[in-house]
Amino acid sequence: MTRSATQTLTHPGHLTEVHEDATPVHAADRPDAAWWRQAVIYQIYPRSWADSDGDGIGDLPGITSRLPHLRALGVDAIWLSPFYTSPQADAGYDVADYRDIDPIFGTLADADAMVARAHELDLKVIVDMVPNHSSDEHVWFQSALAAGPGSAERERYMFREGRGEHGELPPNNWESVFGGAAWTRVTEADGKPGQWYLHIFDTKQPDFNWEHPEVRAEFESILRFWLDRGVDGFRVDVAHGLVKEQGLPDTEEERTTMLGHAEHEHGLEGLPEAAPVDAAAVEAPRIDHTRRSPMWDQDGVHEIYRAWRRILESYGTPDRILCAEAWVEPQERAVAYVRPDEMHQAFNFDFLTASWTAEDLRAVITSSLHAADSVGAPSTWVLSNHDVVRHASRLGFAPGTPRMNGIAATDPQPDRELGLRRARAATSLMLALPGGAYIYQGEELGLPDSTDMPAEFRQDPTFARTHGAETGRDGCRVPIPWSAHGPSLGFGPGDRTWLPQPAVYADYAVDRQEGVPGSTLELYRSLLAARRELSLGTGSLTWVEGYAGDVVALTNGSSRRERVLVVANLGAEPVALPEGAELIVASGPLEDGLVPTDTTVWARWS
C-alpha cells in the first residue's frame, strides 16, 4: 500500500456498539514537545549495514553512503552500535579506546563526515556508550594487571581476593550473562595465581569500579569528546549495571558447582582464544539478568546519570539525549531512569517481550504509559534490536513460545509467512502509540533471523561460552541485502560478508521492495509518513470498547485534534470497522472491507 492510499470502508454489518472508553489512558503531549519525546530512531549495527571497501565488514563510509535510504524511510535519528577501537571479542562492546574509531570501521574523519552528512539530511545521531566494562586490552586494564594487588590502577576495576584456603574459588557466586562464572583469576607478575576480576559479560570485558572518582571523571570527559564532535546523544549500554551492591554478596541463585577453578583458571580447551572461560562455563546455570540482584539496578546509578544529564544540558538546544538499555523490573523501578533530571528515554522491553495476544498487549501498553506518565517521560517502544531474535521470526511461533536468544538450524523453525504478517501488524500498532520508537536495521524489509547458520560461522561469545547450549545473537546481525543480485546482495563491492547471508535474503532486498505497493518497505514509509503528518507521537491514547477480547483497539487523539482509530486484529475471524472509518494505512490487505487476522489498520474516525 502506498503512502497516499485512503478509502472509505463500507460493507454490510458495520459495528454500531464500538465506543471509546470514558477514561483516556494517556493525555496528549504538547504540540511543541521536544524532538526526542516523539522521535522514531533507527538502529544501525555498523558491521552489517554497508561495506564500502569489500572486506566483508560494514564501515562508516558505507553508512554515510546509505543515509539517504533512511531519509526516504522517514525516521528522525540514527543510533549506531559501537564503532570504537576494540579487539571485537563482543562485536565492539569490548572497547579499548573510547576516543577513536576501530580501523575496520574507518577513522575519526569518517565519523565526522558521517555525522555531518546525517545532519544535512536532518537526521540526528545517537552513539553507543559502553560504561559498565571495557576491553581487557584497554590501557587502564593492562596497567592494572602490571601494577599488581593493592595498586591504584586496580582500583579502577573490580579486583578481589578469592575465597577458599588458597583463594582458589571466586569471590562470590555471580554468573556471567554470557554463561559461566563472572570472575576470572589472573596470573601475577611472579607467575602465581592471584586476584580475580569481575566481568558480568565476557572474560575480555572487565567491569569498571564506578565507586572510583577517576572512572566517573573519565566517562564525563568521553561524553564531552563526542558531544564536541556533534553527536546528539548516547544510548547507554547496560545502564542498570554500573553500580554493584556494597560487599558484593552472593546472589540467591545457587551454583551447581564452584569446583574446577583451581585447575582451569586460564580457559577451557577447545574454545576460541578470544573468549577464554572458566571450567564452570558449561556447568553453571544462566542467571536471569532482568531481576534485581546485587549486580543490577542499584540506586547509586542514578547519581551518575544526573551528572551526565547536567553535561548534556550544558550544550543547549536542540536537546542532546540519553537512552537507557535497562532490563529492570518492575516498571516502577524502570521509569526511575527517566525522571526529569536523569535520562530522556529508556527502552520498553516489557513491550518487546509481550506475547502476541490482545490481553498482554493491552496490559503492557496501559502499564507502560501509566508508569512513564508518573515521572513525566515518554514511553519508548521497541520490537527488535541486535540482542534478540527479530520479531519477524519471533512472532512466527505460537504466542508465548520463548525465542529471544537465537534460533539454531536444529530448533523448531518459525513460520516465515505468519511471522512477517504479524511483524507488520505489530509494527503498525507500535508506531501508532504515543511516545518514541526504535526500529532495528532491516526490519523495514521484513528480514527474518538467519536460522540455518552453520555453527562454525557463529561469533557471539554466548555461543562459545556455553558450548552451543545458547545459540546467541548472530542470526539477527547478518548483513543487510540491498540488492537481489550480486555476491553479497549489495552489502559491499565484493563477495565477503562477516556472517553468511541466507539465500532467502535476496527476496527481501531493498531493490525488490522499493516502489512496490504492499511491500514491507513501502508499508514502513507509509506508517512513518502518516505518523508524522498526524502527530501520533505526541497524541493521547484511549481504549476502544465493543470488540471481542482478541482485538486491540484504541484511538490516538493527536495534538492537532485529529482522532485516529487503530484496530489490531489478533483473533481468528475478520472484524469490522465502525461506520464512517476512513482508511489511512493497513498492515495487510483487507477482506471485503473487514480487518483480517494478524492485521492492523489506522483509520480516521469521527
Side-chain angles (χ1 to χ4, degrees):
M1 182 169 296
T2 63
R3 273 176 277 187
S4 60
T6 62
Q7 69 181 75
T8 300
L9 301 177
T10 58
H11 56 80
H14 277 298
L15 296 178
T16 57
E17 72 279 11
V18 172
H19 61 276
E20 291 179 301
D21 196 321
T23 305
V25 174
H26 168 78
D29 209 340
R30 294 173 42 147
D32 60 348
W35 68 270
W36 49 270
R37 296 184 67 89
Q38 57 186 310
V40 177
I41 300 176
Y42 184 100
Q43 181 189 358
I44 292 177
Y45 196 68
R47 299 171 68 92
S48 299
W49 174 249
D51 171 21
S52 71
D53 58 13
D55 67 354
I57 299 175
D59 46 44
L60 296 181
I63 292 170
T64 303
S65 71
R66 294 289 190 178
L67 288 177
H69 169 77
L70 300 182
R71 179 67 276 152
L73 185 63
V75 299
D76 302 291
I78 58 174
W79 150 40
L80 296 101
S81 291
F83 45 55
Y84 311 110
T85 304
S86 166
Q88 303 295 319
D90 184 24
Y93 282 92
D94 49 319
V95 181
D97 186 346
Y98 291 84
R99 295 180 179 84
D100 206 355
I101 306 298
D102 194 282
I104 66 172
F105 298 127
T107 65
L108 277 172
D110 292 328
D112 292 341
M114 179 200 65
V115 172
R117 178 60 175 147
H119 287 166
E120 288 175 3
L121 295 170
D122 199 25
L123 296 169
K124 291 183 168 57
V125 179
I126 314 298
V127 299
D128 230 307
M129 188 53 57
V130 189
N132 180 71
H133 49 264
S134 73
S135 165
D136 65 345
E137 297 183 25
H138 191 287
V139 63
W140 275 14
F141 191 74
Q142 289 298 308
S143 297
L145 292 177
S151 64
E153 289 84 353
R154 288 206 175 178
E155 287 301 310
R156 296 167 173 159
Y157 291 90
M158 305 290 284
F159 281 89
R160 296 293 186 272
E161 299 297 333
R163 296 194 288 194
E165 183 179 357
H166 304 290
E168 70 276 13
L169 297 177
N172 63 27
N173 72 345
W174 294 4
E175 301 293 341
S176 164
V177 172
F178 288 166
W183 296 91
T184 290
R185 199 175 190 187
V186 304
T187 299
E188 304 294 359
D190 60 5
K192 296 180 180 179
Q195 290 186 308
W196 298 73
Y197 68 88
L198 177 68
H199 51 86
I200 296 300
F201 294 90
D202 192 64
T203 53
K204 292 183 67 62
Q205 294 170 294
D207 281 41
F208 283 112
N209 172 19
W210 273 89
E211 305 295 343
H212 199 298
E214 289 186 22
V215 173
R216 299 194 180 208
E218 171 68 359
F219 273 89
E220 290 178 6
S221 174
I222 292 167
L223 294 178
R224 291 189 179 94
F225 177 85
W226 289 103
L227 290 167
D228 289 344
R229 301 192 89 91
V231 306
D232 300 286
F234 304 90
R235 175 268 191 184
V236 182
D237 186 60
V238 195
H240 59 312
L242 277 57
V243 175
K244 280 68 175 178
E245 185 173 332
Q246 290 293 321
L248 308 184
D250 282 349
T251 63
E252 295 178 3
E253 294 87 351
E254 293 184 1
R255 294 273 300 279
T256 56
T257 179
M258 288 188 65
L259 303 177
H261 290 280
E263 296 179 359
H264 300 278
E265 289 156 4
H266 305 294
L268 193 64
E269 184 178 356
L271 289 187
E273 292 183 3
V277 303
D278 298 313
V282 296
E283 302 173 18
R286 295 290 303 279
I287 284 180
D288 176 4
H289 66 39
T290 65
R291 67 177 292 180
R292 194 161 180 244
S293 73
M295 67 187 79
W296 304 122
D297 190 33
Q298 301 300 306
D299 290 338
V301 298
H302 298 289
E303 176 188 346
I304 296 167
Y305 301 133
R306 290 188 189 101
W308 288 16
R309 177 70 174 250
R310 290 192 292 270
I311 290 172
L312 268 63
E313 288 182 343
S314 72
Y315 281 77
T317 56
D319 292 345
R320 277 71 166 178
I321 71 165
L322 298 167
C323 179
E325 183 210 26
W327 292 84
V328 173
E329 296 177 349
Q331 288 178 332
E332 290 73 22
R333 287 199 66 88
V335 297
Y337 289 79
V338 289
R339 289 177 289 195
D341 61 344
E342 295 190 39
M343 296 198 177
H344 302 75
Q345 299 177 331
F347 294 127
N348 189 334
F349 292 125
D350 286 345
F351 182 72
L352 183 151
T353 58
S355 67
W356 186 243
T357 64
E359 180 181 12
D360 280 3
L361 289 170
R362 281 175 61 106
V364 75
I365 291 168
T366 298
S367 61
S368 297
L369 289 170
H370 284 167
D373 286 346
S374 73
V375 295
S379 190
T380 303
W381 314 96
V382 61
L383 284 166
S384 286
N385 63 33
H386 67 290
D387 281 333
V388 300
V389 171
R390 290 179 176 276
H391 65 288
S393 291
R394 204 169 66 239
L395 296 176
F397 294 97
T401 306
R403 284 287 183 273
M404 286 293 176
N405 193 31
I407 302 170
T410 54
D411 291 333
Q413 296 296 296
D415 182 324
R416 192 149 52 92
E417 182 179 343
L418 175 65
L420 179 57
R421 186 166 68 249
R422 288 177 173 170
R424 288 163 58 106
T427 297
S428 299
L429 175 61
M430 179 184 79
L431 292 177
L433 301 176
Y438 279 73
I439 293 172
Y440 179 48
Q441 66 175 42
E443 71 170 80
E444 79 276 17
L445 306 177
L447 284 187
D449 251 47
S450 173
T451 62
D452 59 355
M453 188 182 300
E456 61 267 24
F457 291 104
R458 294 194 175 275
Q459 300 187 31
D460 188 344
T462 301
F463 181 79
R465 286 180 61 81
T466 64
H467 282 209
E470 293 282 357
T471 302
R473 302 160 292 175
D474 295 310
C476 66
R477 300 176 174 185
V478 174
I480 297 295
W482 292 95
S483 61
H485 304 287
S488 63
L489 301 180
F491 172 65
D495 59 358
R496 299 171 62 187
T497 57
W498 73 282
L499 287 174
Q501 296 166 306
V504 73
Y505 267 30
D507 297 339
Y508 297 86
V510 174
D511 68 353
R512 281 270 179 96
Q513 300 195 46
E514 200 155 28
V516 177
S519 71
T520 303
L521 175 58
E522 291 302 331
L523 170 66
Y524 270 68
R525 289 177 172 178
S526 298
L527 292 168
L528 290 167
R531 175 186 167 92
R532 183 187 299 270
E533 176 189 351
L534 299 168
S535 302
L536 299 186
T538 55
S540 63
L541 187 142
T542 304
W543 292 120
V544 171
E545 305 297 337
Y547 282 103
D550 48 11
V551 173
V552 178
L554 61 93
T555 57
N556 183 322
S558 77
S559 54
R560 296 176 56 197
R561 300 184 180 180
E562 189 163 12
R563 189 174 56 163
V564 175
L565 172 68
V566 180
V567 176
N569 181 14
L570 283 68
E573 300 295 331
V575 298
L577 290 165
E579 186 73 39
E582 182 182 318
L583 183 65
I584 299 170
V585 64
S587 67
L590 303 188
E591 297 177 356
D592 297 325
L594 301 178
V595 182
T597 186
D598 295 323
T599 302
T600 298
V601 164
W602 299 4
R604 291 179 174 87
W605 188 35
S606 58

